[in-house]
């Protein structure tokens, strides 16, 4: 029996002549956090809506815990919590009333509702604010409330569409901590965001979408270490009077993508697996090397390398 909670199998979805999701296949294992990234219009929201049964694929299928979203959408809705990017206009309710209202919608028995609302407020740091009105909430508290609502029926899989959008740095840090806590209690999470350092921090695996297609996916460690997928980034410091000569030697070398002058350093991006050829060239010309370090590429570099700026 497979450990995959989510199995996306060759799924496509079009709107008239726009192919929003184009033959995407992807798996997410039990307890993992998948970060879904991609430029505007890449198809992230559409894919998350397909997973959450809010739209139907034109072809292909998605199974959650072995159950098909196409065949049994009602069963799926019981095990999934979808947090949309937008907040629907709320009624004139306070936080507790709002969550109680949605507990009814999720068929949570009356006797359990109060405790359930308390639990989700605890998880999302909303305890003590239950009587604050929903209208006029700050963005941080609004995102917490949306997440609390998503957790009410204790779903196994959380699908979060840009939960950190519009948050200030402290609220973002707090949200990351909440997502990590949810992962630590065994939730499987799919999260989309444009904030790549956040995604890098909380995800076990990454999917990069562009123009509807999955251009890259895998565990973060694999993507960072696999030199066929990534390239090396070299930080070079030479004596200041030699910086320009070093740049002129490096720039024309095969395998060098860019060579930027940053402060007194050269920041060299290369599509070779390592920077030895740069080092050899410098030594050949007797350039004195003060510092030569190779960095692991971060998610932003991986993203820039694997997306070409295509839009649908
Ligand atoms: N209901 C719809 N009707 C028509 N076109 C749609 C609809 N929903 C999405 N699209 C189109 O499908 C493509 C993918 O959109 P989607 O919202 O999934 O992208 P996204 O990756 O979530 O973008 P963003 O980062 O801006 O949120 C876009 O070209 C969009 O205009
Ligand atoms: Mg979106």
């Amino acid at each position: 029996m497979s450990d995959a909670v989510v199995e996306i199998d060759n799924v496509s979805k079009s709107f008239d002549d726009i192919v929003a999701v184009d033959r995407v296949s992807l798996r997410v294992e039990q307890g993992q956090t998948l970060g879904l990234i991609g430029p505007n219009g890449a198809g992230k929201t559409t894919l998350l809506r397909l997973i959450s049964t809010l739209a139907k694929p034109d072809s292909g299928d998605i199974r959650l815990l072995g159950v098909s979203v196409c065949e049994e959408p009602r069963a799926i809705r019981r095990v999934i919590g979808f947090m949309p990017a937008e907040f629907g206009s709320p009624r004139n309710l306070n936080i507790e009333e709002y969550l109680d209202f949605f507990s009814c919608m999720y068929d949570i028995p009356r006797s359990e509702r109060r405790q359930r609302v308390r639990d989700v407020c605890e998880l999302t740091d909303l305890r003590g604010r239950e009587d604050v009105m929903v209208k006029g909430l700050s963005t941080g508290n609004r995102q917490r409330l949306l997440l609390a609502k998503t957790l009410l029926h204790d779903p196994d899989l959380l699908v979060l569409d840009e939960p950190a959008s519009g948050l200030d740095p402290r609220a973002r840090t707090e949200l990351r901590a909440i997502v990590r806590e949810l992962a630590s209690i065994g939730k499987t999470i799919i999260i989309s965001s444009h904030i790549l350092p956040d995604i890098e921090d909380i995800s076990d695996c990454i999917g990069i979408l562009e123009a509807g297609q999955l251009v890259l996916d895998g565990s973060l460690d694999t993507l960072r270490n696999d030199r066929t997928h990534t390239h090396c980034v070299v930080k070079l410091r030479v004596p200041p009077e030699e910086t320009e000569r070093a740049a002129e030697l490096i720039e024309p070398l095969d395998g060098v993508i860019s060579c930027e002058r940053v402060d007194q350093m050269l920041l060299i991006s290369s599509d070779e697996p390592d920077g030895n050829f740069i080092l050899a060239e410098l030594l050949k010309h007797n350039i004195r090397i003060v510092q030569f370090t190779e960095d692991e590429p971060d998610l932003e570099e991986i993203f820039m390398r694997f997306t070409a700026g295509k839009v649908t």
Side-chain angles (χ1 to χ4, degrees):
M1 172 96 180
S2 144
D3 277 343
V5 171
V6 186
E7 292 167 285
I8 301 173
D9 187 12
N10 211 20
V11 158
S12 295
K13 175 76 178 176
S14 296
F15 300 101
D16 300 322
D17 55 350
I18 294 172
V19 186
V21 173
D22 191 4
R23 292 162 293 165
V24 168
S25 296
L26 195 58
R27 293 160 61 91
V28 191
E29 310 290 325
Q30 164 70 47
Q32 281 202 318
T33 299
L34 168 80
L36 197 58
I37 59 177
N40 291 126
K44 302 178 298 295
T45 297
T46 306
L47 183 61
L48 298 183
R49 287 174 54 82
L50 293 173
I51 296 168
S52 309
T53 76
L54 298 171
K56 270 197 164 173
D58 299 333
S59 58
D61 197 6
I62 301 174
R63 280 176 302 281
L64 302 187
L65 299 161
V67 179
S68 158
V69 297
C70 298
E71 287 163 17
E72 299 187 56
R74 287 178 70 84
I76 296 288
R77 283 176 209 144
R78 295 195 178 276
V79 296
I80 196 167
F82 176 62
M83 176 172 167
E86 273 127 39
F87 195 40
S89 59
R91 295 145 190 262
N92 213 11
L93 301 172
N94 67 27
I95 286 179
E96 186 168 19
E97 291 161 343
Y98 177 89
L99 291 172
D100 187 63
F101 172 79
F102 282 99
S103 306
C104 294
M105 304 283 279
Y106 283 127
D107 281 340
I108 296 168
R110 181 181 286 273
S111 58
E112 292 175 25
R113 268 186 233 151
R114 181 179 280 266
Q115 186 58 44
R116 197 65 70 88
V117 169
R118 201 169 283 191
D119 290 347
V120 296
C121 284
E122 192 74 57
L123 269 170
T124 54
D125 295 337
L126 282 173
R127 284 287 280 154
R129 297 179 222 193
E130 288 89 340
D131 56 357
V132 175
M133 298 305 285
V134 169
K135 262 191 192 150
L137 277 180
S138 69
T139 309
N141 283 338
R142 192 190 66 199
Q143 293 305 87
R144 285 198 184 94
L145 179 61
L146 261 182
L147 183 57
K149 174 190 146 203
T150 305
L151 296 170
L152 277 170
H153 57 304
D154 196 20
D156 294 313
L157 173 67
L158 298 173
V159 177
L160 314 177
D161 194 8
E162 292 197 44
S165 169
L167 297 187
D168 68 38
R170 181 181 300 277
R172 259 176 56 201
T173 305
E174 287 165 4
L175 183 85
R176 281 204 306 269
I178 294 171
V179 171
R180 268 199 296 266
E181 189 177 344
L182 292 168
S184 77
I185 59 175
K187 304 285 184 199
T188 304
I189 301 172
I190 302 181
I191 179 168
S192 81
S193 179
H194 290 294
I195 307 167
L196 302 190
D198 281 6
I199 288 289
E200 191 161 14
D201 185 45
I202 56 181
S203 304
D204 305 299
C205 47
I206 297 291
I208 303 182
L209 275 179
E210 185 171 43
Q213 294 181 346
L214 190 69
V215 293
L216 191 69
D217 73 292
S219 85
L220 250 176
D221 284 345
T222 312
L223 295 183
R224 279 202 200 100
N225 295 323
D226 184 345
R227 295 301 192 181
T228 59
H229 278 316
T230 57
H231 52 168
C232 75
V233 178
V234 170
K235 276 189 197 144
L236 172 70
R237 191 186 291 275
V238 297
E241 66 280 8
E242 297 212 60
T243 306
E244 208 41 51
R245 195 160 83 88
E248 281 165 15
L249 287 170
I250 292 163
E251 270 162 348
L253 291 178
D254 271 354
V256 168
I257 299 168
S258 65
C259 176
E260 284 176 68
R261 291 130 179 101
V262 181
D263 300 327
Q264 294 287 307
M265 315 247 305
L266 293 175
L267 202 60
I268 306 148
S269 179
S270 155
D271 56 11
E272 290 292 314
D274 61 54
N276 289 351
F277 72 108
I278 298 171
L279 195 56
E281 183 73 6
L282 295 168
L283 294 175
K284 196 168 97 187
H285 290 87
N286 294 321
I287 304 264
R288 200 158 65 81
I289 292 155
V290 179
Q291 186 193 340
F292 185 96
T293 43
E294 281 185 47
D295 274 355
E296 266 190 345
D298 64 13
L299 186 55
E300 196 153 322
E301 280 150 357
I302 297 172
F303 180 88
M304 294 306 281
R305 185 161 155 78
F306 280 88
T307 55
K310 281 187 277 174
V311 286
T312 48

